Amino acid sequence: MKKTLSAILAVLLAALLCACGNTAPASKSESSVSTITSSAASEEVSKPTDEEAHENGYPKIEELVWSFRNTVKYDEPVAVFDYTNNSDYTIVMLELYFKMKEGVTSKQLQLIDPFTDELIPNDKIPDMEPYVYDWIVSDPGETAEGADCYMDYNTYPTSTDQCDLMEFSSANIHFIGEDGKIHTVSYSAENCGYALSENTEELYVWVDNDYTKMIPKPNTRIASADQFEEDCLGVKAYDMSHDDFLEYIDSCEQMGFQNKYPNEDLDYSYTGTNANGYEIDVRYIDNMHYIEITLQKEEQ
């Protein structure tokens, strides 16, 4: 299996989610969230009244129930993030940001630096900013499972015990608004405040040119296609299963592409070429349920 961990993007259980709102942990190992840098997160935040929150129309951190759990990925122990969306909105991406609890020591954390194979030193721990990017689309009432967690310094938690040493800091919740577009609301645990960004994104962006005519249009709710360069098209299609990935490859071959590496196992990536000299690369990001597509002129 080809390793496809992606950090590019969920709500975790906060040990202390401020006096104005707290989501009770489902188990002892459930933890909190930390801050990601974005335009929405930097906006001034204020605590809305119940009436204002209803008028604004966005999911609240208190409506998300999350936890970390131990599992195994790629034959290695890891702690992953799950959450249940109890809001009235479809969440398309969740960003959670944490900070380390005061006084955490290297001996407690037991986190190995991949470059030195030694424990992360004590003086680096206060500056750590753990985070979770959950790109799994979650409709109201659904549970998104298995998002990767990152502990900073190119590391990830191998146990929920390490997650218990974090404190929730902030979150960005990307959701489908009543206008059918993607909106972002940010939450700060420090002041228990929300900030609703004025920026929105279309759910499905598809350019119409000679490149997109060569490939199938992904059958999903959320996708974006960009002409990165004159001779290179990039597409991301979200809310896709592995079966959807395989069906998309089949559709590519029906449109004239042939597997460039037919002797290799078709696992989570595919490279195909057509008679006109174009090459398509399709990768499935299993932990985030999306596919990445690149179409360009085949290198000679």
Side-chain angles (χ1 to χ4, degrees), residues 54-68:
H54 177 73
E55 290 177 354
N56 286 336
Y58 51 76
K60 316 303 182 298
I61 196 77
E62 298 86 355
E63 296 173 324
L64 308 179
V65 179
W66 66 84
S67 64
F68 294 99

Side-chain angles (χ1 to χ4, degrees), residues 35 45 55 72 85 108 121 139-140 145 156 176 181 197 208 217 237 245 291 293:
T35 307
V45 293
E55 290 177 354
V72 175
N85 176 14
Q108 287 177 291
D139 288 317
E145 297 182 335
Y156 55 85
I176 301 176
K181 296 182 179 181
S197 174
D208 185 15
K217 193 173 182 179
F245 162 72
I291 61 174
I293 306 161

Side-chain angles (χ1 to χ4, degrees), residues 1-293:
M1 178 182 289
K2 297 179 181 178
K3 190 169 183 178
T4 55
L5 290 177
S6 175
I8 324 188
L9 234 131
V11 174
L12 290 168
L13 193 46
L16 294 173
L17 190 61
C18 237
C20 65
N22 182 30
T23 304
S27 69
K28 178 183 177 183
S29 63
E30 294 178 0
S31 259
S32 351
V33 186
S34 159
T35 307
I36 201 169
T37 303
S38 75
S39 57
S42 63
E43 296 178 15
E44 184 178 355
V45 293
S46 60
K47 180 182 176 182
T49 64
D50 290 342
E51 182 177 352
E52 288 172 336
H54 177 73
E55 290 177 354
N56 286 336
Y58 51 76
K60 316 303 182 298
I61 196 77
E62 298 86 355
E63 296 173 324
L64 308 179
V65 179
W66 66 84
S67 64
F68 294 99
R69 62 179 168 85
N70 292 322
T71 188
V72 175
K73 284 190 174 184
Y74 311 109
D75 299 323
E76 296 180 359
V78 294
V80 295
F81 170 80
D82 304 331
Y83 82 95
T84 299
N85 176 14
N86 291 326
S87 77
D88 294 330
Y89 296 87
T90 294
I91 295 174
V92 300
M93 181 188 176
L94 182 63
E95 303 173 36
L96 301 177
Y97 300 91
F98 300 84
K99 60 183 179 180
M100 301 305 296
K101 292 180 180 179
E102 187 174 354
V104 172
T105 66
S106 178
K107 185 176 180 180
Q108 287 177 291
L109 188 57
Q110 288 295 303
L111 193 64
I112 303 296
D113 186 324
F115 298 105
T116 65
D117 290 329
E118 298 178 354
L119 291 177
I120 298 290
N122 286 328
D123 60 351
K124 285 188 174 183
I125 293 176
D127 295 329
M128 292 180 66
E129 296 181 339
Y131 62 94
V132 172
Y133 291 168
D134 194 324
W135 292 69
I136 302 172
V137 177
S138 176
D139 288 317
E142 288 188 343
T143 297
E145 297 182 335
D148 289 330
C149 312
Y150 302 92
M151 297 292 288
D152 221 339
Y153 302 119
N154 296 299
T155 62
Y156 55 85
T158 58
S159 168
T160 56
D161 291 341
Q162 293 162 324
C163 300
D164 289 337
L165 301 176
M166 307 185 312
E167 288 182 333
F168 172 61
S169 176
S170 64
N172 295 326
I173 308 172
H174 306 267
F175 65 98
I176 301 176
E178 296 178 2
D179 58 359
K181 296 182 179 181
I182 298 176
H183 295 252
T184 299
V185 63
S186 298
Y187 177 82
S188 167
E190 182 177 359
N191 59 15
C192 298
Y194 290 91
L196 184 63
S197 174
E198 295 182 354
N199 298 325
T200 62
E201 297 179 37
E202 296 294 333
L203 274 178
Y204 205 109
V205 178
W206 190 255
V207 295
D208 185 15
N209 59 26
D210 291 338
Y211 278 75
T212 54
K213 291 176 183 177
M214 281 188 270
I215 64 174
K217 193 173 182 179
N219 183 21
T220 185
R221 290 182 291 176
I222 307 168
S224 63
D226 295 303
Q227 195 77 37
F228 296 130
E229 299 174 4
E230 184 178 350
D231 58 352
C232 183
L233 173 74
V235 179
K236 285 187 178 180
Y238 302 92
D239 203 18
M240 304 285 281
S241 67
H242 189 262
D243 286 342
D244 293 329
F245 162 72
L246 295 176
E247 290 177 7
Y248 187 81
I249 291 173
D250 184 61
S251 298
C252 289
E253 296 194 335
Q254 291 180 27
M255 295 185 68
F257 286 92
Q258 293 184 335
N259 193 341
K260 189 174 181 178
Y261 307 106
N263 295 325
E264 292 187 6
D265 291 336
L266 181 61
D267 195 354
Y268 288 84
S269 66
Y270 168 87
T271 300
T273 56
N274 67 11
N276 295 322
Y278 285 88
E279 181 174 290
I280 186 170
D281 289 295
V282 186
R283 290 200 311 140
Y284 183 63
I285 314 301
D286 59 339
N287 60 318
M288 296 185 179
H289 295 194
Y290 73 85
I291 61 174
E292 290 181 337
I293 306 161

